[in-house]
Amino acid sequence: MQCHADNTQGGDRLEAERDEAPLLAQHLSSHTGLCSARSGLALALHVSLFVAYALRVSLSITIIAMTNSSHPHGWSGSAPRGSYPGFAQDAPVYNWSAETQGIVLSSFFYGYGLMQVLGGYCSGLFGGKPILGSGLLLSSVLTLLVPPAAELGMSFLIGLQVLLGLAEGVIFPAQYTLWAKWAPPLERSRLMNIADAGCTFGTFFALFLAGIICQSLGWPFVFYIFGGVGCAWCLCWFLLVYEDPAHHPWISAGEREYIVSSLAHQGSSHGCSLPLLAMAKSLPLWAITVACFCTDWMFYMLLTSMPMFLSNILHFDLRENGLLSSLPYVGNGLGHILAGLLADFLLARRVLGTAAVRKLFSALGMLLPAIFLVAVPYTGWSSTVVAVLLTLALTVISMTGAGININHIDIAPRYAGFLLGITNAFGIVAGIIAPSAVGLLVGEVLWGQKPQAHPWKKTQIFSEMDSFLCTESKITPSQPLLPTSTCDVAPIQTELQTILRTRGCVRRKSSTWPPSG
């Protein structure tokens, strides 16, 4: 295999920074309006990611309507139809425990993580357009099959979620392969963040609309409607998107020359061989990988578990749950766009260099959300305060979109899709762990009259620790983490009760340990 270390250890980045002066002159005279071809690609990718995230998040909100949450240790069968007021009367309800729900939600990430590297490799060989379009089309078809899979049984639904993860796993690496051919260095932040904002706006749309559909038509129609829209959009994708500026029939000559000349130093996409040894030795790549894991832990925990948190802890009905779950993602989508504009402004005005901008946006995007998130359990579970903190957390975390998320193209644009696949594969490990960990913690009966509130506190503390460790900060909790097992806890009963009374978590009359029922 070829081993070109300069491709992964910053050679391309340094060359790009040396070229910033002439590129800036071209940038000021180039056509950057909404009618440019690269802006059209940003819009097409925005819609594609909008659809992709609407498909993947739909189960997170519909699982509330699909399950009987009053049975914490339920079984995997179905309850009588129309058992719950406010839901469509012909929709089945399944007795799935919190642990089972966590397994169902996390099963998506097994397939998603496995396909990341392969998706990046294939998009470099065959192009980003066909790989992304095929993955999105297959995801849409599989979404249509969720209701019959749930009716057949838990194993069928888990298997379908794994396949859905495999299909969606190629989308992000393929997107990076496209941007490596389309995004000039001084416009990467804004173009890629406009596209990425589709993820959060799609989540907002899905969480808001899914609650209404569940109550009016029944939860199966969420998957039928979203899957049908996805299939229709895929047709538009294959007709409207082109692999690179050279093959675009309607791009202006000036814009084509500007894009090609600004990216001339990076070379074409990789072939069959890859510099794997150089990648393994690349410290910047390892730094991006660790940062992606820490960021994804927080993001995926909120993405998959916030609807259950608002429903089970704050006791919102499904319609209110969908609305309040979606509000933080509006802030995240707007934050993506603003962060991209600000980052490119700092680069274009030479206020900061490329490395400084990426580090600044990454650090702020990880530390501040961790602080907001860990403050949630100490608000007295006020719905207004919780909504504000979650909105702030997901708004500020969008700053990483102009930081670590673009570093792949900065350090090695030729291998951007493959590198994104590597870092995303590690980040998806957090997506596998987070929902399952939340399900296990929420499902444990440890806290007397409020069995679920404080396991949620522990999940949020874990998120803070994760982000602070990623930025090489140290935290010392005021209290050690309490044991999560009910085995051999009699010797510490008095100490636990004292701590919980001090924090206002249990009533003084609660004297039985472990709690019954």
Side-chain angles (χ1 to χ4, degrees), residues 280-365:
K281 294 179 178 179
S282 174
L283 291 180
L285 179 58
W286 280 107
I288 296 171
T289 300
V290 174
C292 284
F293 178 91
C294 297
T295 304
D296 287 347
W297 174 275
M298 277 194 300
F299 184 77
Y300 284 127
M301 188 186 73
L302 290 172
L303 181 70
T304 60
S305 303
M306 188 161 43
M308 286 191 296
F309 170 76
L310 293 176
S311 175
N312 298 337
I313 303 302
L314 299 184
H315 305 295
F316 296 147
D317 62 34
L318 191 60
R319 188 186 301 272
E320 185 180 12
N321 186 1
L323 177 60
L324 291 180
S325 295
S326 59
L327 284 177
Y329 295 97
V330 178
N332 185 272
L334 296 176
H336 262 97
I337 297 173
L338 294 176
L341 292 173
L342 179 59
D344 279 348
F345 174 82
L346 295 176
L347 290 173
R349 301 295 179 181
R350 299 188 181 182
V351 177
L352 294 172
T354 301
V357 168
R358 303 298 183 231
K359 291 177 180 179
L360 175 64
F361 278 68
S362 298
L364 293 178

Side-chain angles (χ1 to χ4, degrees), residues 62-78:
T62 55
I63 201 169
I64 300 170
M66 294 170 67
T67 58
N68 181 358
S69 59
S70 64
H71 292 273
H73 302 286
W75 53 293
S76 60
S78 62

Side-chain angles (χ1 to χ4, degrees), residues 452-473:
Q452 294 180 341
H454 290 274
W456 281 103
K457 178 182 289 188
K458 285 190 280 187
T459 64
Q460 289 151 337
I461 290 176
F462 291 160
S463 294
E464 182 191 36
M465 293 173 64
D466 190 59
S467 292
F468 273 73
L469 288 173
C470 180
T471 53
E472 297 183 349
S473 299

